[in-house]
Amino acid sequence: MVFRKLPGVSASGMGLRLSQKFVFLLFLSGLVTLCFGALFFLPDSVRLKRIFLSKTESQPVTVGSENDVREHLKKGAKDPEHLRGITSAKGETSTKLKALGRKPSVTNEAKTDKKVAGGEALEDMTLSRSKTDSASKDEKVTSSSNQGANTDTSFDYNKFKKCLLKPPLGIEHGKPSDPQTLQRREKVKEMMKFAWDNYKSFAWGRNELRPLTRNGHIGNMFGEWGASIVDSLDTLYIMGLMDEYNDAKEWVETSLDLNSNGEASLFEVNIRYVGGLLSAYYLTGEEMFKRKVMVLGEKLLPAFNTPTGIPRGVINLGSGTSWSWGWASAGSSILAEFGTLHLEFVHLSELSNNDIYTEKVMNIRKLLNKIEKPHGLYPNFLSPVSGNWVQHHVSIGGLGDSFYEYLIKSYLMSDKTDEEAKKMYYSALEAIEANLVQKSPGGLTYMAEWRGGILDHKMGHLACFSGGMVVIGADDGAPEKRQHYLDLAAEITHTCHESYSRSATKLGPEAFRFDGGAEATATRLSDRYYILRPEVIESYMYMWRLTHDPKYREWGWEAVEALEQHCRVEAGFSGIRDVYAQTVSHDNMQQSFFLSETLKYLYLLFSDDDLLPLEDWVFNTEAHPLPVTNTTVSPVIVTQVSVL
Ligand code: DMJ
C-alpha cells in the first residue's frame, strides 16, 4: 500500500481504519528496526556504519616497518620465535577466586563474614577511592577507556589470602628437610641475589643488564620500563630477599611510568608487567600493585580494535595505536602472542570487576574454536582482519608454544571448571601427537615442526616447556591416557635433558635436530647459543612436583653448575654463543626471564611442594604465579555464597 499524504489532511482524515493504522505503524517500526539491525552486519569500513555505530576506540592501523624486524631480531636473544601463546572460561564472563569460595566452610566466623560482606565492600571501596585520590599521576589516567567498567573494585584480599592452602611467603614455607637440597636452594638464592645486585648497580631502571659492559639495555619489545624489576618482584619475595624486594617495590611505586609513550609487544607487556604486577599483588597484598596493573590493563584494550577482535602484536601504550610486526606474514598476528592473554585478562576482570578483559579473550577463543584447523592443528599466523590462517606453519616451540600452555592452564586456573579450555587443550594435544610427535632412530621422543604437511625434524629450546605442560594436564585427560601422558612428558623432558648433556657446556642449544644423523644436537651454527632460557628447567620443576623422581633435582643441579661455570661473569650472568665450545663466548645479556623464570623454577625445584602449591597457583608463561579462580555469575553473589 502506498499512502500519499495530502497537504492539510491528517492521516486520520485519510479514511484509514484504526486497525489499518495499527498495521501500518507496526510495519513501519519493523522496517526501521530491520534497517538499523542490518548495520551491525556491514563491514567496519562502510561509512554508514561508522556514522550510526561510532566506535569509541578506533585506532589507525599500520604494518610494522623493517626497523621493527631488525630491532626484534637484533634482540638475538629474542627473535620472533621466542614469542609464545590462549585461553578462558565457558560462557561465564566473571570469575571469583577459588579461595573465596573454598576454605572457610560453615563456621560462625563465616556467618559473621556474611553479615558484614556488604559493609566490607563499602569500606573497601571508600578505601580504594581515597587511595586512588592520593595515587601518582600514572594511576589517575583511567576511565577514558573504561568501557562499561564497574568501578567496584572491592576485592577482599585478606579473605583471599586466608583461603589459600599455603601462605604465599616462602621464608618458612617450602624449606626442604634434607640438608643437601637446602644447600642447593640456598645456592640458587645466592645466584638471584648476585644477578639482582649487579642489575641494580649497573642497569637500574633499564630493561636488562649487560653484564660485560656493565650497563643497561632497553629493547623496544618491553617498552621503556624496567622489565627486570617487575619480573623479579615475586622471585625476590618468595626467596625472602626482602631488602631487594622493597627496593623493587619502591621503584614500581615511584618510577614505573605508565604514561610513557613506549611501543611494546602486547604479549611481552602482558606476560611480564601485567603478570608480574598481578602476582606481586596476590603474593603481598600491596594495593599499589593492583592500582598499577588496573591502569596498565586499560591501556592494552585498544589493541583489540580490529575487525575480528584478534589483537595486533605491537602497541603504543600512550596513543593506543597498534600494528602488526613487520616480519609477520602479511600483517598477521601470532598465535603464541594473541593466545597468551587469557590467564592475566581473567584476573584483570577479577580485580576490576569489569568483564571487558574476559570478553576480549573469550572472543579470541570463540574465533579459534570456530575456524577450520588443518588436521586439527593451529597454525602460527592468523589475519586479524579476515580471521583466517595466513600460513600453515605449526610449532609447539616459538610462535605457537604458550597458546597450548594457556589452554591447559586456563582449565586449571578455573579450578577445573573451564570445560571449553579443557576440550580445546586435549584435542590440540591429540593433533600434536598425531602429527608432530616423533621418535628418533636413537629412541628419543621429540616434537617436530609442521609446514603445510611437511615435517621439519627440529625441536626448539622453547618447545621444551612441553614436558611440564603435558605432565600438569596428565590427570585430567581421559583416565586411560593418564599413564600415557606421564610417559610422554617424561620422554620429552628426557630428550631436552639430552640436548643439554650432549653439549660441552652441559647447557642446551637454541634448537636441536633429529636428521642427517643428528640426535638432539644443533647442526647449524646459528642454533648453538644459549640465552639463559628457562624451559628445560621449567619441565624439571613440574616433573619433580608431579613424580618426585629425584633425577629431576639432579638434572636441575647439573644446570646450576653449568650456569655457574659458563654463564656467571664478574657482573652478573650472561648467555653464551656456542654451547659446544669449550671456551665460551658471552653474549653480554642477562635476560629478564632469567630472574623471573630460570632462577624461580630452580628455587622451586629445590623447595618442598608447599611453596606455591600447584593446587593454589598456576604460573603464567613468564613464571608469575596467579591464583586459581572459580567461575561464577557475579562476584558479589559469590562472596555471599562462599560464606553460607
Ligand atoms: C619467556 O619470556 C616466556 O617463557 C615466553 O613464553 C617464551 N620465552 C621466554 C623465555 O625463553
Side-chain angles (χ1 to χ4, degrees), residues 334-362:
I334 317 290
L335 180 69
E337 296 198 328
F338 67 78
T340 306
L341 301 166
H342 190 92
L343 303 179
E344 296 82 2
F345 273 50
V346 163
H347 275 290
L348 286 175
S349 276
E350 178 76 31
L351 289 185
S352 63
N353 204 9
N354 182 354
D355 289 344
I356 189 141
Y357 302 100
T358 308
E359 283 162 10
K360 297 288 180 199
V361 287
M362 288 307 286

Side-chain angles (χ1 to χ4, degrees), residues 78 82-84 267-268 271-272 401-402 405 462 533-535 538 593 597 621-622:
K78 321 244 8 147
H82 304 177
L83 305 172
R84 311 221 227 115
F267 162 81
E268 295 287 354
I271 66 168
R272 288 165 201 277
D401 48 10
S402 45
E405 173 187 351
L462 288 167
R533 282 196 189 282
E535 291 76 16
E538 176 180 350
F593 53 66
E597 296 190 76
T621 194
E622 191 72 2

Side-chain angles (χ1 to χ4, degrees), residues 501-517:
S501 58
R502 293 174 191 214
S503 79
T505 54
K506 305 296 169 218
L507 293 165
E510 179 65 4
F512 42 94
R513 305 197 63 94
F514 297 87
D515 50 12

Side-chain angles (χ1 to χ4, degrees), residues 30-51:
L31 201 68
V32 170
T33 316
L34 209 69
C35 292
F36 189 70
L39 282 174
F40 285 90
F41 293 94
L42 290 174
D44 277 354
S45 52
V46 174
R47 203 157 149 242
L48 205 64
K49 181 172 180 179
R50 293 204 305 266
I51 294 168

Side-chain angles (χ1 to χ4, degrees), residues 482-550:
R482 182 174 184 270
Q483 191 54 48
H484 166 73
Y485 288 138
L486 286 175
D487 294 343
L488 178 63
E491 286 169 26
I492 293 167
T493 309
H494 169 68
T495 301
C496 292
H497 175 251
E498 284 300 301
S499 78
Y500 275 48
S501 58
R502 293 174 191 214
S503 79
T505 54
K506 305 296 169 218
L507 293 165
E510 179 65 4
F512 42 94
R513 305 197 63 94
F514 297 87
D515 50 12
E519 288 263 343
T521 51
T523 54
R524 299 176 188 171
L525 265 178
S526 56
D527 286 339
R528 293 180 169 199
Y529 61 92
Y530 171 69
I531 55 166
L532 308 174
R533 282 196 189 282
E535 291 76 16
V536 175
I537 291 163
E538 176 180 350
S539 284
Y540 296 164
M541 191 281 289
Y542 284 116
M543 290 303 297
W544 162 255
R545 281 275 174 110
L546 289 140
T547 67
H548 287 150
D549 183 334

Side-chain angles (χ1 to χ4, degrees), residues 253-278:
E253 186 151 28
T254 57
S255 309
L256 177 57
D257 179 11
L258 296 169
N259 284 324
S260 73
N261 251 17
E263 290 168 4
S265 147
L266 171 68
F267 162 81
E268 295 287 354
V269 171
N270 181 55
I271 66 168
R272 288 165 201 277
Y273 297 97
V274 177
L277 292 170
L278 282 172

